[in-house]
Amino acid sequence: MKPELSGHPKLIYFAERPPGLDRAGFRERWRQHARLGMSMPRWRNVHRYVHCDSVAVPGATLPVSWCDGVAMVWYRSEQTRLRHVSDRSAGPQMKKDEAETFARPVRDVAILAEELVFRPCEPAAFKLFLRVWRRPGQSLQTYREWWQESFGPKLLQRLDDEGICRGYVQNHARPETSRGTVPAPICDCVDELACDDAVACGVAIREVLAANEAAAAGVLDVKAIWTAETLLYTL
């Protein structure tokens, strides 16, 4: 099956808890922040919303890009996304609550992405996020063609051969615009994999990267965030 663009603009942010708040306390504070956001009139622009809480995976071998969790917001369309971000009625209250919830502003740790679905993600024990950076000087087009057309299909085939894939999505960063509605990308891509065997999934990713000469294709770094996903809202 060929991967397909979902048609839903997607915001992904990497949540970090503020000093003095333990993981359990942050999880509850983050959910409180989510409930506030979902209570706002502008929430009608949103299609789906999930929180993914970071978890430790003993035996995992992928380099880790640690944070306390990953949130994903799908908008109903580009038009509704623009209406959402231009709605100023919720701004002051949400910004104040955001400052009390996170160590850094969401805008500083977010990526607005185009969602390329290789296989829709089913509920699974783990949701893995791979943050991907291309090498300085490597063209975005060349890197993306390799990641989408070579690495992605080969990884999916390897995971299928082992029977451990419950879903695979590539989220490619959209470039910043002069209108200021898109945050500058903090990485070039965020891959999203659902699986029940985290260790085997990590081994497969490392071996596919090595076998397919990721460095030669302009990939500078790949780091993992292991999480457990909670669905908070969907149409």
Side-chain angles (χ1 to χ4, degrees), residues 148-166:
Q148 293 177 14
E149 299 173 14
S150 179
F151 173 77
K154 289 174 181 176
L155 175 60
L156 183 59
Q157 184 61 60
R158 169 66 183 270
L159 296 173
D160 276 347
D161 290 345
E162 297 191 17
I164 57 175
C165 182
R166 302 285 297 276

Side-chain angles (χ1 to χ4, degrees), residues 11 28 35 97 109 124 135 143-144 174 179 184 201 216 218:
L11 182 75
E28 177 51 38
R35 290 191 291 271
D97 197 74
V109 291
R135 192 174 302 281
Y143 149 74
R144 280 194 177 178
R174 288 172 50 171
R179 293 195 295 180
C201 184

Side-chain angles (χ1 to χ4, degrees), residues 90-104:
Q93 188 175 2
M94 289 302 296
K95 288 296 184 185
K96 179 177 183 297
D97 197 74
E98 180 182 302
E100 296 171 357
T101 305
F102 304 112
R104 291 197 282 169

Side-chain angles (χ1 to χ4, degrees), residues 2 6 51 59 69 73 78 81-82 84 89 91 104 111 114 128 136 139 149 169 171 180 182 184 208-209 211 219 234:
K2 289 187 63 176
S6 72
H51 279 182
V73 182
E78 179 62 13
R81 185 190 74 81
L82 292 172
H84 188 92
S89 63
R104 291 197 282 169
I111 173 176
E114 294 178 342
L128 167 64
S139 77
E149 299 173 14
V169 175
N171 300 290
V182 180
V208 173
L209 283 168
V219 177
T234 189

Side-chain angles (χ1 to χ4, degrees), residues 17-18 20-27:
R17 68 182 186 265
L21 200 60
D22 64 17
R23 293 183 64 186
F26 172 71
R27 186 177 296 116

Side-chain angles (χ1 to χ4, degrees), residues 2-13:
K2 289 187 63 176
E4 295 183 353
L5 288 171
S6 72
H8 295 289
K10 187 173 180 179
L11 182 75
I12 303 172
Y13 70 83

Side-chain angles (χ1 to χ4, degrees), residues 14-15 17 23 26-27 30-31 51-57 64-70 127 129 224-229:
F14 303 93
R17 68 182 186 265
R23 293 183 64 186
F26 172 71
R27 186 177 296 116
W30 192 18
R31 299 295 192 272
H51 279 182
C52 301
D53 300 298
S54 293
V55 296
V57 177
V64 172
S65 175
W66 183 256
C67 63
D68 293 286
V70 181
K127 174 63 70 72
F129 295 92
I225 305 166
W226 293 101
T227 71
E229 183 179 78

